[in-house]
Amino acid sequence: LTHGFDSNGAKRGPFGDIKDWWTNTSRARFEASKSCFERQYSSYPIHGDAGTRGVEQGSLGWRILGQLGINSTEIHDNGTKCLGENIADSGGLGLAAMAYQRWQKRRGAEQGISVGGVFYTAEQLFYLRYGAGSCELASSQQLQEQIMSEDPHSVWRLRVIGAIQNSRGFAKAFQCPMGGPRSMNPKDKCELWGIDTTLPIQDWTPRPTQVSTPSK
């Protein structure tokens, strides 16, 4: 859906023909948002996996062979090459989150569950499932090969991190403190489509409960 209004789709009219149908004001705001996405995805540091010998199928799913580690070499993706896909990822996640909220209002709120002794709300599980769909094992060399290829997608781990950083719903669901460009709730988010305007961009850190002391 959001691909129809990404950096490529925005150049076309309703019948797919090349057409400039934007007002000057809308075009200026669109270009500013594009620049934000380019900076975000080009500057975020990513690292390859290290210390593993691959994975194998077990009775309960996939099992990592070896001791999983992180390569200390910092890698950066190409935010310009992958601009259209990154805009669509963030917009698509935002629209999906709002659709899920509407579904819960019609059908009733879903209950959270405990996983490994940790309780997760339905909203948290929504975002965890989004990230789980992009799990991969990739060395620094493999990541570099994809970055240098003609593939218009960012590497999987950055596709998750980037869209999540721009999600107001994620920040609320996990009560993320507001931080800088490398935090999971950056103050300056890159937003274009799929924005839940009912949620403010704010610090969601839980505040200590004020306990009143009874007077004697």
Side-chain angles (χ1 to χ4, degrees):
L1 180 63
T2 48
H3 272 302
F5 303 93
D6 64 16
S7 53
N8 294 314
K11 301 174 183 177
R12 300 182 179 276
F15 302 104
D17 54 321
I18 300 296
K19 183 178 181 180
D20 185 4
W21 51 276
W22 297 73
T23 65
N24 292 335
T25 300
S26 294
R27 172 63 65 184
R29 294 181 64 179
F30 182 75
E31 292 297 327
S33 295
K34 281 172 50 179
S35 297
C36 181
F37 279 95
E38 288 177 326
R39 290 193 302 271
Q40 177 192 17
Y41 283 82
S42 293
S43 61
Y44 195 92
I46 51 179
H47 300 268
D49 300 310
T52 66
R53 303 190 305 277
V55 296
E56 67 176 7
Q57 180 73 54
S59 59
L60 297 178
W62 292 98
R63 180 169 60 247
I64 296 175
L65 300 176
Q67 186 66 38
L68 180 62
I70 298 176
N71 192 305
S72 60
T73 302
E74 192 171 290
I75 302 172
H76 294 273
D77 211 326
N78 187 332
T80 301
K81 182 191 73 169
C82 305
L83 179 60
E85 296 294 337
N86 295 335
I87 290 175
D89 281 346
S90 285
L93 177 61
L95 290 173
M98 288 188 285
Y100 179 52
Q101 293 298 331
R102 292 183 180 180
W103 184 90
Q104 288 195 97
K105 289 180 180 179
R106 291 198 305 266
R107 303 292 185 89
E110 292 193 303
Q111 301 300 309
I113 60 174
S114 292
V115 180
V118 179
F119 180 79
Y120 295 99
T121 66
E123 288 72 23
Q124 289 174 330
L125 291 170
F126 170 86
Y127 291 105
L128 287 174
R129 183 63 190 87
Y130 171 74
S134 301
C135 283
E136 66 170 354
L137 281 176
S139 66
S140 295
Q141 180 179 348
Q142 290 171 319
L143 295 178
Q144 287 281 25
E145 288 174 354
Q146 180 178 343
I147 293 171
M148 299 302 295
S149 73
E150 295 182 1
D151 188 342
H153 298 88
S154 292
V155 297
W156 280 111
R157 58 200 64 194
L158 186 57
R159 292 184 69 178
V160 174
I161 293 172
I164 288 297
Q165 280 191 315
N166 296 330
S167 170
R168 302 186 186 193
F170 175 88
K172 180 184 178 183
F174 285 91
Q175 298 185 316
C176 298
M178 184 174 288
R182 296 191 179 187
S183 74
M184 297 313 296
N185 182 21
K187 178 181 178 181
D188 299 318
K189 298 184 183 298
C190 298
E191 298 181 317
L192 194 52
W193 314 119
I195 306 170
D196 188 348
T197 55
T198 66
L199 296 176
I201 298 177
Q202 69 175 49
D203 188 331
W204 290 98
T205 305
R207 299 293 187 263
T209 302
Q210 296 293 330
V211 179
S212 59
T213 303
S215 58
K216 296 182 179 179

